[in-house]
Amino acid sequence: MSENDREQNSSLLLIKFGKQNIPLWEIVETNPNQIASSLINHQQCREYLMSQSFHAQQNSRHPIFRTMVTCITISAVLCSLAACGTKIPESESTTNIGSEQITLIAKDDSIASLVPQKIKDKGTLVVATDATAPPNESIASDGKTIEGNEIDFLNQIGSILGLKIKLVNISFDSIIPGLQAGRYDLTISGMRDTKEREQQVDFVTYAKTGVQIFTKADNKDKYNTVSDLCGHSVAMQSGTVQVKSIEKQSQQCVADGQKAINIKSFKTQSDQIQAVSSGQADAGVQNYPNNVYLAKSTNNSMIGVGESFDEGLWGMALPKESGMAEPLQKATQKLIDSPQYKQILSKWNVEKQAIEKSVINGAES
């Protein structure tokens, strides 16, 4: 980078180390290839860069920016320097309603009376979530608050039950083991209620959705149905029901005389999306609401394609025999019956997820 470029850009992108602010270009030029491998598609970093009036395309001469799909996540840069990989550490965050204020439903004493005494005494529900799946849940622009339509649901449910909400951010495939170990009271994280999962945990349903293929806009005409994935590489988030759905389709591909699907699993949804955007995978499959958000956040450079399929109910999962299923279901139904439910869905552009009735363990398959 030239001296003029350094002078122009170093004042725009500074990373704080202790009391020092170090220009990003110094870190980039130290080891660009290592940092390039840490690029991910993430709303938080994009908002940061935009707030600094700096777009990735403004400097396409450096390798780090040539390979940049949308933006640089500052936390990912720091992570790459520490060689810490993609493991998600547990982190805690206080929930809030976002910039669009929605009135909290008042405490319902009759429902709150059903909450087990040990949770009443604690006064807080400890909730696990994987905050890499906007618009359902993701890290806000402040770098610590978890936000999304499901977090707004939790705020309402907590208010109805008279309980505070404490969020713990963990990887999706660690959620059910954590519930079984008693580390969390429940989870809300875009989790499908299935018969198999009901053998391990209980569910209280609050929304529905299907899954959909996503890919780069240039490839939008290649994948109209799930059978079009035969012979292609497909990025998946590990631990999700979509994995089994695509594994089943891959078997069907072979049975039909076509090539199997090359399934590539990733720990986080961010890594899954980055694999497609970087060309490591041809396409991906995720929940339909996530594709709606993906298209919006990437200016339609990555989009959902074809019809959604494999629709099912989403549920908050909680440990078996915890005593929380009944009060949680009643609080969720009160939310569904209120204006706030549709206000939240509309706020996050996920109106299609609405259901009319919350049930305990409502899986059909």
Side-chain angles (χ1 to χ4, degrees), residues 68-86:
M68 189 176 294
V69 176
T70 306
C71 60
I72 297 173
T73 299
I74 300 303
S75 60
V77 172
L78 299 178
C79 183
S80 70
L81 294 176
C84 59
T86 58

Side-chain angles (χ1 to χ4, degrees), residues 22 35 82 233-234 250:
I22 300 178
I35 296 174
S233 56
V234 178
S250 183

Side-chain angles (χ1 to χ4, degrees), residues 23-75:
L24 178 61
W25 62 263
E26 289 187 4
I27 300 176
V28 169
E29 293 192 340
T30 301
N31 198 338
N33 291 331
Q34 185 181 25
I35 296 174
S37 68
S38 296
L39 297 177
I40 64 173
N41 178 5
H42 194 287
Q43 181 192 23
Q44 178 191 344
C45 70
R46 181 162 52 256
E47 290 176 349
Y48 173 83
L49 292 175
M50 290 178 68
S51 70
Q52 300 295 326
S53 301
F54 183 88
H55 293 277
Q57 291 137 340
Q58 285 182 329
N59 185 358
S60 60
R61 288 173 290 175
H62 196 284
I64 187 74
F65 296 116
R66 287 200 302 267
T67 59
M68 189 176 294
V69 176
T70 306
C71 60
I72 297 173
T73 299
I74 300 303
S75 60

Side-chain angles (χ1 to χ4, degrees), residues 263-287:
I263 299 173
K264 297 187 175 184
S265 296
F266 298 88
K267 192 79 169 175
T268 71
Q269 197 171 75
S270 298
D271 289 340
Q272 175 194 15
I273 292 170
Q274 174 59 19
V276 178
S277 66
S278 65
Q280 186 178 349
D282 298 322
V285 175
Q286 62 178 356
N287 291 310

Side-chain angles (χ1 to χ4, degrees), residues 145-256:
T145 303
I146 301 175
E147 65 178 6
N149 67 292
E150 296 188 334
I151 308 307
D152 285 357
F153 288 159
L154 274 178
N155 280 312
Q156 298 290 344
I157 291 168
S159 181
I160 293 168
L161 295 174
L163 297 170
K164 295 179 180 178
I165 303 295
K166 179 181 179 181
L167 289 171
V168 183
N169 183 18
I170 63 173
S171 62
F172 188 86
D173 57 7
S174 299
I175 291 176
I176 288 181
L179 291 171
Q180 292 178 306
R183 289 194 290 272
Y184 319 112
D185 297 315
L186 61 96
T187 182
I188 189 166
S189 197
M191 184 174 288
R192 180 75 64 88
D193 181 0
T194 67
K195 290 292 186 183
E196 181 179 354
R197 285 172 173 165
E198 285 178 3
Q199 300 302 310
Q200 302 172 295
V201 292
D202 287 327
F203 281 90
V204 172
T205 61
Y206 60 89
K208 67 180 180 181
T209 193
V211 298
Q212 188 187 35
I213 301 166
F214 71 91
T215 188
K216 289 189 280 191
D218 292 344
N219 297 329
K220 65 180 181 179
D221 295 326
K222 293 182 179 180
Y223 311 106
N224 293 313
T225 68
V226 67
S227 61
D228 292 332
L229 297 175
C230 296
H232 293 278
S233 56
V234 178
M236 308 293 299
Q237 184 179 9
S238 59
T240 62
V241 295
Q242 294 95 301
V243 174
K244 290 189 176 181
S245 178
I246 299 305
E247 286 176 343
K248 183 177 180 181
Q249 177 58 44
S250 183
Q251 294 172 357
Q252 186 62 48
C253 293
V254 175
D256 292 341

